[in-house]
Amino acid sequence: MEPVYLDNAATTKVDKEVLKAMAPYFDEFYGNASSMHVKGQEAKKAVEKARETIARAINAKLEEIYFTSGGTESNNWALKGAFFENFPKKNHIVTVKTEHDCILNTAKWLEGKGAKVTYLDVDKEGFINIEKLKKAITPKTFLVSVMQANNEIGTIQNLEEIGNICRERKILFHTDAAQSFTKIPLDVKRMNLNLVTINAHKVYGPKGVGALFIREGVKITPLLHGGGHERGQRSGTENVPGIIGFGKAVEISGKTDYKKMSALRDKLIKWIIEKIPDSKLNGPVGDKRLPNNVNITFKGCEGEALGGYLENKNIYVSTGSACMSNTNAQSHVLAAIGLSREEQESSIRFTLGKETTEKNIDYVMKVLSEIIEKMRTAGKIKNG
Ligand SMILES: Cc1ncc(COP(=O)(O)O)c(C=O)c1O
């Protein structure tokens, strides 16, 4: 059996069309996009085309897109940049307990610099409570940061509703859309977004490139100082091949059949819940869940061991978030939706990609039924 890669939330395979588009920018059009000569200008032209494609995808203007090294940098920049622009007049941030570590750890770091941060709770499916968000806002609040979709359990928040509140209260609204970009609609105008994080390697583009949307008129302090690239906001020679690849990945993203992906997702969920006793879905069902995400707790099965057994059968999955470098399988997201430590450690995330086939899912189901039974029988024998 060929490898069945079900860890597309960690990263995706670079699309062949993307690779093809990038290749000439390594050795043919290798100019520095800031150089005035023709070599530089051909690189710059291609960078601006990519910027336009990406801007159009989120209903932004091209001058509102700033290229970065990825989601982590964009999230750091959004929070730190907004903080240093507003501090000490305003110092309060509202975010959520289930955000990615690069938001939570940035928020924690800012607390050391004088920020006050409210970490909103979520319900059992990972949704925030809008009334609690409203109550959390104080006259000192300058930023609300809520991810569009969760990387572990796929919960999609209602950004339009949050955006309306931020507009009324005149507070900046940031979203981390690293997992949702191109999968579900993201419209910076309709959702009243001021800052948006996106990256390329979750959408069949290269690693190490991303962008931050900064609404025209919004001022945030630069993170990197230097030669004044990206209109003085983000210095550093542009990663031209990476940016070209990002643009191409977004350009072709409309070809991905997310209806088919959701159907495969639901087939796997339904089969697991019906056929594997003591299995539980984490996160919501239906269109409030990312089309590629399946997160299951298999009671009594250690997640890391299960991941290892699946790997032996050429199936690649993840326990929690691949972006967490900690080695144990505990998850702040699963904890926030109420799972015990044991349940967190018995959970597995399958994330489908555009190349996932029905045959792949059938194979996973067959392997899962054998492995879970073996693991549980072995567990019973061990525990007497
Ligand atoms: C929701 C979310 N935000 C941010 C990131 C970080 O992005 P990057 O890997 O481009 O730094 C990730 C990566 O997994 C993510 O899932």
Side-chain angles (χ1 to χ4, degrees):
M1 185 72 189
E2 66 199 43
V4 179
Y5 181 76
L6 294 180
D7 201 11
N8 287 279
T11 197
T12 55
K13 178 172 163 180
V14 175
D15 189 285
K16 291 235 167 7
E17 274 191 67
V18 170
L19 258 185
K20 206 170 135 209
M22 289 173 73
Y25 290 89
F26 286 102
D27 62 353
E28 193 181 347
F29 307 119
Y30 50 81
N32 182 324
S34 300
S35 297
M36 293 315 288
H37 52 63
V38 70
K39 277 275 163 230
Q41 292 311 300
E42 59 199 16
K44 184 170 170 57
K45 209 170 138 200
V47 165
E48 293 315 307
K49 186 171 167 251
R51 198 188 305 277
E52 196 174 347
T53 305
I54 292 163
R56 207 176 308 126
I58 61 170
N59 199 16
K61 295 184 196 153
L62 103 155
E63 312 81 55
E64 295 174 320
I65 302 295
Y66 297 84
F67 289 114
T68 66
S69 65
T72 301
E73 182 187 328
S74 295
N75 280 342
N76 268 264
W77 187 14
L79 266 62
K80 292 175 186 171
F83 172 77
F84 288 115
E85 203 58 49
N86 286 281
F87 187 74
K89 226 171 118 198
K90 294 193 175 190
N91 71 340
H92 181 233
I93 300 171
V94 179
T95 188
V96 188
K97 286 188 177 164
T98 50
E99 292 291 314
H100 191 271
D101 272 342
C102 61
I103 290 285
L104 296 177
N105 288 333
T106 302
K108 277 211 177 73
W109 184 83
L110 286 171
E111 285 182 273
K113 304 281 168 210
K116 295 265 179 283
V117 184
T118 301
Y119 301 90
L120 295 173
D121 286 317
V122 293
D123 65 16
K124 288 207 165 326
E125 293 186 328
F127 295 106
I128 62 162
N129 179 308
I130 293 291
E131 291 310 311
K132 287 198 177 139
L133 167 71
K134 281 188 196 162
K135 281 202 187 108
I137 293 170
T138 76
K140 287 275 198 184
T141 309
F142 65 91
L143 180 72
V144 168
S145 180
V146 177
M147 70 199 320
Q148 188 176 25
N150 186 269
N151 48 305
E152 291 190 42
I153 55 171
T155 310
I156 298 171
Q157 305 288 351
N158 186 339
L159 294 194
E160 211 167 329
E161 204 171 8
I162 304 168
N164 284 336
I165 295 164
C166 293
R167 180 192 284 130
E168 274 167 27
R169 313 274 180 109
K170 298 192 170 51
I171 293 165
L172 294 177
F173 179 26
H174 167 250
T175 195
D176 173 359
Q179 290 291 341
S180 51
F181 181 46
T182 76
K183 296 189 185 83
I184 56 171
L186 176 59
D187 182 324
V188 296
K189 293 205 176 80
R190 185 164 56 81
M191 295 166 175
N192 189 46
L193 284 152
N194 302 103
L195 300 159
V196 177
T197 291
I198 50 178
N199 60 3
H201 76 101
K202 312 286 187 186
V203 297
Y204 310 94
K207 293 165 186 60
V209 59
L212 183 66
F213 156 82
I214 307 176
R215 181 179 288 280
E216 201 173 28
V218 169
K219 257 191 99 184
I220 65 168
T221 307
L223 204 57
L224 303 182
H225 300 90
H229 306 77
E230 296 293 288
R231 297 179 303 291
Q233 297 307 298
R234 198 279 186 183
S235 287
T237 301
E238 283 91 352
N239 171 3
V240 177
I243 291 169
I244 305 311
F246 192 10
K248 190 60 166 183
V250 175
E251 185 191 314
I252 63 173
S253 62
K255 291 192 212 163
T256 302
D257 186 348
Y258 283 111
K259 269 214 174 92
K260 186 179 138 213
M261 200 183 284
S262 305
L264 288 180
R265 170 199 70 184
D266 291 342
K267 175 175 171 163
L268 181 59
I269 293 175
K270 188 166 179 284
W271 182 87
I272 292 175
I273 300 306
E274 280 177 14
K275 303 285 183 201
I276 301 199
D278 289 327
S279 57
K280 188 177 86 176
L281 176 71
N282 298 313
V285 290
D287 59 8
K288 290 205 168 131
R289 182 179 197 104
L290 277 179
N292 69 337
N293 178 291
V294 177
N295 188 314
I296 306 278
T297 304
F298 295 101
K299 196 173 172 210
C301 293
E302 214 246 300
E304 281 188 358
L306 175 54
Y309 290 129
L310 288 170
E311 185 168 354
N312 288 342
K313 298 280 185 186
N314 243 351
I315 298 168
Y316 298 90
V317 299
S318 158
T319 50
S321 160
C323 308
M324 296 190 307
S325 51
N326 56 341
T327 48
N328 61 32
Q330 283 167 55
S331 148
H332 68 275
V333 174
L334 298 181
I337 61 168
L339 267 63
S340 67
R341 195 174 159 151
E342 196 189 331
E343 287 171 319
Q344 290 167 45
E345 289 173 353
S346 312
S347 300
I348 286 279
R349 179 185 73 178
F350 307 84
T351 43
L352 286 62
K354 62 180 177 180
E355 291 183 335
T356 309
T357 61
E358 182 137 30
K359 208 170 130 210
N360 292 154
I361 296 299
D362 290 341
Y363 174 67
V364 171
M365 293 180 336
K366 179 175 159 284
V367 169
L368 264 180
S369 59
E370 293 163 10
I371 293 178
I372 302 280
E373 203 179 312
K374 269 191 201 149
M375 283 179 80
R376 285 187 175 154
T377 311
K380 270 192 203 127
I381 293 167
K382 201 173 111 198
N383 298 327

